[in-house]
Amino acid sequence: MDAEAPIGEKRRGYRRWSWLVPTLLILPLLAFFLSNLWLATPWARRWIAAKIEHGTGLETRIGSATWSPWNGASLHAVELLQPAALRAAIPKPFARIDSIRLAPVWRAWLRGRLEVRSITLDTPDLTIPLELLSYLSGSQAAPTLSPNAAVTPPPVAQNNPPAANPPAAAPPPVQPPATVTAPPVIPPQPTGWLHLKNASFSIISISRNQPLLEIAHASGSLPIGGDPAQSVLKIASISFGGNRTFSDLSAEIDWKFPALSLKPLPLEFQGIKFLVAGKIAPLAGLPVQIEAQIPKQPLARTALPFNGDAQAASIAANAAFRGLLLAPGTWQGDFVAETAEPLFHLSGHEAKFDRGSAVTVLRGGQLSCVDARLIGDELSVLGNATLLANGRAAGAVRVVAPPDNVSAIVKQVFPNLQNPSLTPLSTPQRSAFDLEAFGSISQPYLRLGRDGPVLSLKNANPSP
């Protein structure tokens, strides 16, 4: 009997702790159920939306939220509304996303670090108003133009762009240190991914019915962190002004910390071949750099607005853009173009030039065409213009030719203008007709001649 007593005690101890295993199994299930039940409440949705609003500054709405250990955290029917000042004119949300799914690194989350393996955006649709960019850029200090200020007409005597300042003297060479310290080796890290499904992006303006730029139905996986990786982004179409310009593009993407790079992408538009490349870094402000090049090539006969066309023996151009994507005041851009033997046909008339060039820069929210010219033996056209972030603009165009030819051109373009005001030049064999533009994009004005009448382009009524 004494030998059986310990056996009975062991059985009673087993029964005492037998509830522990089911409890350990039930508690995680109960926590999972209750947490998803809490996420389904309006209070939880408002709490998550407030977190997004704090980071973006845009009013946010969320349809639902869920999570699971195997599927990560998901937000559904996410909308970021337009700023209140633009909402009446642009009812479409700033961003609409069917679902956002985060695949967390749970071990890091348990230690208080928010790390994710991947982010999946299902059908994101971004609509960015041009007026919002103007507001952000205009908040930076920028020069202003008076209502009637016009850019000074370009001088006639200079047929070539001004020479650049001579380069500064090179600094003395720096002696290398006696010993070179090797940079620390970064341990391998899993590549982080941003998965896009049927993404769309557009830049619009209140004053236009069609988007200025629209990228439709883009899908692919973008590496955005960790070890180097490559991928391909498929884009169904890219449109400008509502006209589809490019279709069925495959962009090769390369990731190497700290930048995501677009490898040179060959494109063709109306027979013109060019290359586009770019970089963006997932850092504060989103630094971005875009470059485009039109290699020197002949220009076949190309249609122009107002039933015109143009052709040239050769054209070439280079464009560059850089800055912080989320801070328009930091944007900088350069555009340089040149052409040889351009030929234009407008309204049944032919205009032939020997050469042409244009230089345009973007600095501090101010876009300026500092010099544009078409030079020929009988006819030359010179101009410059400036556009500020607040929509104010000014520009000048000078047409130079023999006096009779200038008068004929002016009467052809402005048939209702009587006795056009010409600008005399140093030689009687040449005269100039100056056009001065000023005002804003929504209400531009045009002065016809140095002392001529002012034409409101909005209502097309000239005034003295």
Side-chain angles (χ1 to χ4, degrees):
M1 297 296 295
D2 295 338
E4 296 179 357
I7 297 176
E9 185 65 27
K10 290 180 181 179
R11 290 176 177 175
R12 287 193 297 271
Y14 174 79
R15 288 194 298 268
R16 186 180 300 121
W17 296 99
S18 61
W19 58 269
L20 182 60
V21 174
T23 301
L24 293 177
L25 294 177
I26 293 175
L27 282 178
L29 296 176
L30 184 61
F32 169 71
F33 174 76
L34 292 177
S35 61
N36 276 282
L37 184 62
W38 175 79
L39 289 174
T41 63
W43 187 89
R45 295 197 299 270
R46 287 195 298 267
W47 180 80
I48 298 173
K51 294 293 184 181
I52 299 176
E53 289 180 15
H54 179 74
T56 62
L58 299 174
E59 184 179 343
T60 304
R61 298 173 181 172
I62 296 176
S64 62
T66 58
W67 82 275
S68 66
W70 54 89
N71 202 35
S74 299
L75 302 177
H76 305 277
V78 180
E79 287 189 355
L80 278 70
L81 304 184
Q82 298 286 353
L86 301 175
R87 203 171 300 165
I90 306 176
K92 188 176 181 180
F94 180 87
R96 178 188 288 121
I97 309 172
D98 283 0
S99 68
I100 304 174
R101 185 169 68 86
L102 306 178
V105 180
W106 292 116
R107 183 178 299 177
W109 281 41
L110 293 176
R111 296 177 180 176
R113 301 194 313 271
L114 299 180
E115 297 182 10
V116 295
R117 291 193 304 270
S118 66
I119 302 173
T120 302
L121 303 181
D122 189 358
T123 318
D125 186 2
L126 271 66
T127 303
I128 301 179
L130 189 64
E131 289 75 12
L132 176 61
L133 299 179
S134 299
Y135 170 78
L136 295 175
S137 181
S139 62
Q140 308 276 337
T144 58
L145 294 175
S146 61
N148 294 328
V151 176
T152 304
V156 180
Q158 295 181 353
N159 290 332
N160 296 314
N165 295 328
V174 179
Q175 297 295 330
T179 58
V180 178
T181 303
V185 178
I186 301 177
Q189 297 180 349
T191 303
W193 294 90
L194 173 63
H195 304 292
L196 297 177
K197 297 181 179 179
N198 195 29
S200 297
F201 169 87
S202 60
I203 297 178
I204 65 173
S205 176
I206 296 176
S207 60
R208 294 180 61 92
N209 296 326
Q210 297 292 338
L212 301 175
L213 168 65
E214 184 177 16
I215 301 175
H217 308 299
S219 299
S221 298
L222 304 179
I224 56 174
D227 293 341
Q230 295 79 37
S231 66
V232 175
L233 180 66
K234 301 287 188 178
I235 302 175
S237 65
I238 299 179
S239 302
F240 293 92
N243 299 317
R244 178 174 291 192
T245 308
F246 307 108
S247 302
D248 300 326
L249 301 179
S250 295
E252 297 184 8
I253 306 297
D254 180 78
W255 161 257
K256 186 176 182 181
F257 181 83
L260 186 69
S261 302
L262 168 66
K263 295 183 178 180
L265 177 65
L267 299 172
E268 183 173 345
F269 176 68
Q270 292 188 352
I272 303 175
K273 298 179 180 180
F274 57 100
L275 298 172
V276 176
K279 290 184 178 182
I280 187 170
L283 304 174
L286 290 180
V288 64
Q289 178 178 343
I290 302 174
E291 296 182 355
Q293 180 186 40
I294 299 178
K296 191 173 183 179
Q297 58 190 287
L299 176 66
R301 197 160 186 169
T302 303
L304 295 177
F306 307 109
N307 297 322
D309 60 72
Q311 62 187 83
S314 67
I315 59 169
N318 287 282
F321 173 86
R322 57 197 175 276
L324 301 178
L325 190 61
L326 301 183
T330 67
W331 293 357
Q332 297 184 13
D334 300 279
F335 175 78
V336 179
E338 61 180 12
T339 179
E341 301 180 14
L343 176 63
F344 298 88
H345 293 92
L346 296 171
S347 303
H349 297 273
E350 181 179 280
K352 186 175 182 180
F353 302 91
D354 297 328
R355 64 186 185 276
S357 63
V359 178
T360 303
V361 298
L362 172 65
R363 296 290 187 275
Q366 177 174 306
L367 180 65
S368 297
C369 178
V370 296
D371 184 88
R373 57 186 63 205
L374 293 167
I375 304 298
D377 291 336
E378 295 295 327
L379 174 65
S380 296
V381 180
L382 307 98
N384 51 47
T386 295
L387 173 65
L388 300 184
N390 59 9
R392 306 297 297 179
V397 175
R398 169 168 285 183
V399 180
V400 181
D404 293 341
N405 293 355
V406 173
S407 298
I409 293 174
V410 174
K411 291 180 180 179
Q412 179 70 29
V413 179
F414 303 102
N416 296 328
L417 181 62
Q418 303 295 327
N419 301 321
S421 175
L422 303 184
T423 303
L425 302 179
S426 58
T427 171
Q429 286 78 23
R430 290 289 188 273
S431 291
F433 181 73
D434 292 323
L435 294 173
E436 298 180 8
F438 55 90
S440 64
I441 296 178
S442 59
Q443 179 56 76
Y445 295 91
L446 188 65
R447 185 182 299 277
L448 307 181
R450 187 178 63 175
D451 301 318
V454 175
L455 178 69
S456 172
L457 298 184
K458 189 173 183 179
N459 53 35
N461 292 323
S463 59

